[in-house]
C-alpha cells in the first residue's frame, strides 16, 4: 500500500503479495470483495412506459423516485468448510487454529472419498484468508495437525504480516487511529521471536514504506524498553538481593520486577548474536 497513514481507511499498511495459499499457507491478502453485478434493465422498460396517475395528485416522475438500497445476501460458506468443521471442530469450528504445513495433503489422504481436491484447495484458501484465522496467526499460536496437536512454531514473518492485515481491516471500521496498538503488538511479536532487531527487520521488512515506518517505530520502542530492562537487570545482579527485596528498594511491584528481569535475561542472547 502506498497511501499515507493519515487517511483512516488507509492508515494501516498491507504486506507484499504472498504466495497463493492453495495448500493452507498463511496468506494475509485482503479478502476479495467482488462487487455485485449490475442487474440489466428489463425489456420494455424505459421512457415509453409512463407512470399511472391516481386521483388529482401530480404525476410522479419515476426517474426521480427514491430508490431502496440493494440488499446483498450474506456470502455463503463453501460446503467444504462446513465439512471440515464437522470433521475437525477443534481446528475449523468455533475457534480457528493455525494449520500445519502440508495440511492439504493430510486432509486428502485422510478423507479421499469425502473431500474433493479442487473444492478443498479453494476452501482452504478462503479459510486462511479469513480474519478469524489471521487473528490466530497474529497471536503467535503454534501450527496444529489434524489431531489438534501443536507441531511447529509460527514463523515470525507470518505473525508480522498477519498483524498488519488484521489491523488494516480493523482500521477500516474504526473511528480511531490504531497505529499505537499495532506498534505495541509488533513489539510483543518481535520480543517473542527471540531475534535481534536487525534480524527481525530483515526478515519482515517489505516494499510497503508505510508498513516499514510502523515497523521501525516499533523496533525503536522495543530498543528503548530493552535498554531500561537491561539496566534494571544489571542493577539487580549487582545488588545481590532477592527479587522482592530488590523490587522494594526501587518501589516496584515484585511480580512486575520479576517479569522485567526475565524479559531482560531472554533478550541477552539475541542481543549478543
Amino acid at each position: 500500500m502506498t497511501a499515507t497513514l493519515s487517511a483512516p481507511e488507509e492508515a494501516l499498511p498491507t504486506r507484499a503479495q504472498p504466495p497463493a495459499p492453495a495448500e493452507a499457507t498463511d496468506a494475509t491478502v485482503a479478502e476479495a470483495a467482488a462487487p455485485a453485478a449490475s442487474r440489466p434493465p428489463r425489456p420494455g422498460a424505459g421512457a415509453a412506459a409512463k407512470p399511472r396517475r391516481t386521483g388529482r395528485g401530480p404525476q410522479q416522475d419515476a426517474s426521480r423516485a427514491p430508490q431502496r438500497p440493494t440488499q446483498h445476501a450474506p456470502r455463503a460458506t463453501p460446503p467444504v468448510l462446513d465439512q471440515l468443521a464437522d470433521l475437525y471442530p477443534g481446528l475449523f469450528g468455533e475457534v480457528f487454529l493455525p494449520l500445519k504445513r502440508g495440511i492439504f495433503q493430510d486432509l486428502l489422504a485422510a478423507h479421499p472419498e469425502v473431500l474433493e481436491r479442487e473444492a478443498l484447495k479453494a476452501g482452504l484458501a478462503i479459510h486462511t484468508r479469513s480474519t478469524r484465522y489471521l487473528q490466530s496467526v497474529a497471536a503467535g499460536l503454534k501450527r496444529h495437525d489434524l489431531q489438534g496437536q501443536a507441531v511447529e512454531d509460527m514463523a515470525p514473518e507470518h505473525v508480522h504480516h498477519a498483524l498488519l492485515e488484521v489491523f488494516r481491516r480493523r482500521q477500516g471500521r474504526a473511528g480511531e487511529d490504531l497505529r499505537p496498538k499495532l506498534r505495541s503488538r509488533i513489539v510483543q511479536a518481535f520480543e517473542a521471536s527471540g531475534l535481534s532487531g536487525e534480524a527481525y527487520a530483515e526478515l519482515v521488512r517489505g516494499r510497503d514504506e508505510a508498513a516499514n515506518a510502523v515497523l521501525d517505530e516499533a523496533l525503536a520502542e522495543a530498543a528503548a524498553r530493552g535498554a531500561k530492562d537491561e539496566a534494571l537487570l544489571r542493577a539487580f545482579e549487582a545488588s545481590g538481593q532477592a527479587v522482592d527485596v530488590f523490587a522494594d528498594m526501587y518501589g516496584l511491584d515484585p511480580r512486575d520486577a520479576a517479569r522485567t528481569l526475565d524479559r531482560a535475561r531472554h533478550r541477552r542472547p539475541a542481543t549478543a548474536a
Side-chain angles (χ1 to χ4, degrees):
M1 185 181 67
T2 57
T4 62
L5 293 177
S6 59
E9 71 277 9
E10 298 174 346
L12 290 179
T14 57
R15 68 181 178 93
Q17 289 287 348
E23 300 181 357
T25 57
D26 294 304
T28 55
V29 182
E31 293 171 302
S38 301
R39 180 177 298 177
R42 290 179 291 111
K50 295 182 179 180
R52 296 181 59 184
R53 298 178 60 178
T54 57
R56 296 183 179 179
Q59 178 176 338
Q60 183 182 11
D61 185 351
S63 65
R64 297 181 182 178
Q67 301 294 320
R68 287 187 179 182
T70 303
Q71 299 294 328
H72 297 291
R75 188 179 303 174
T77 301
V80 68
L81 293 183
D82 290 331
Q83 288 179 297
L84 292 175
D86 291 338
L87 292 169
Y88 302 99
L91 295 177
F92 300 91
E94 292 298 322
V95 177
F96 290 176
L97 290 176
L99 304 171
K100 70 178 282 288
R101 302 171 194 271
I103 201 78
F104 174 73
Q105 290 86 355
D106 293 349
L107 286 166
L108 285 179
H111 306 281
E113 304 300 325
V114 177
L115 300 174
E116 193 274 325
R117 182 182 184 87
E118 294 304 318
L120 177 61
K121 183 182 294 186
L124 287 177
I126 293 172
H127 178 76
T128 56
R129 286 186 176 97
S130 70
T131 298
R132 288 173 59 195
Y133 183 84
L134 292 175
Q135 286 171 336
S136 71
V137 176
L141 301 180
K142 293 179 178 291
R143 293 181 179 275
H144 292 68
D145 61 15
L146 293 182
Q147 286 69 48
Q149 301 297 316
V151 293
E152 62 177 312
D153 292 332
M154 184 63 62
E157 62 269 29
H158 292 162
V159 175
H160 180 78
H161 296 320
L163 275 172
L164 294 181
E165 180 60 22
V166 168
F167 273 83
R168 187 197 69 80
R169 296 180 187 184
R170 287 178 176 172
Q171 185 65 80
R173 301 188 299 269
E176 60 176 316
D177 185 0
L178 298 180
R179 283 176 299 180
K181 294 180 180 179
L182 175 58
R183 283 197 303 270
S184 178
R185 291 293 304 276
I186 292 177
V187 169
Q188 294 175 18
F190 158 62
E191 292 179 342
S193 73
L195 299 171
S196 67
E198 294 79 6
Y200 186 84
E202 182 179 358
L203 189 64
V204 306
R205 190 180 299 278
R207 293 173 294 179
D208 189 326
E209 293 305 320
N212 294 337
V214 177
L215 170 63
D216 291 339
E217 292 171 4
L219 292 179
E221 181 179 321
R225 188 168 79 173
K228 291 175 62 177
D229 291 352
E230 178 63 21
L232 189 70
L233 178 57
R234 290 180 179 178
F236 168 72
E237 293 172 340
S239 72
Q241 301 293 331
V243 173
D244 55 346
V245 176
F246 175 79
D248 185 64
M249 290 169 52
Y250 281 81
L252 302 173
D253 181 275
R255 290 172 297 181
D256 291 340
R259 283 194 291 266
T260 301
L261 295 173
D262 285 341
R263 189 168 61 230
R265 292 190 189 98
H266 283 93
R267 189 182 291 112
R268 275 182 169 175
T271 303

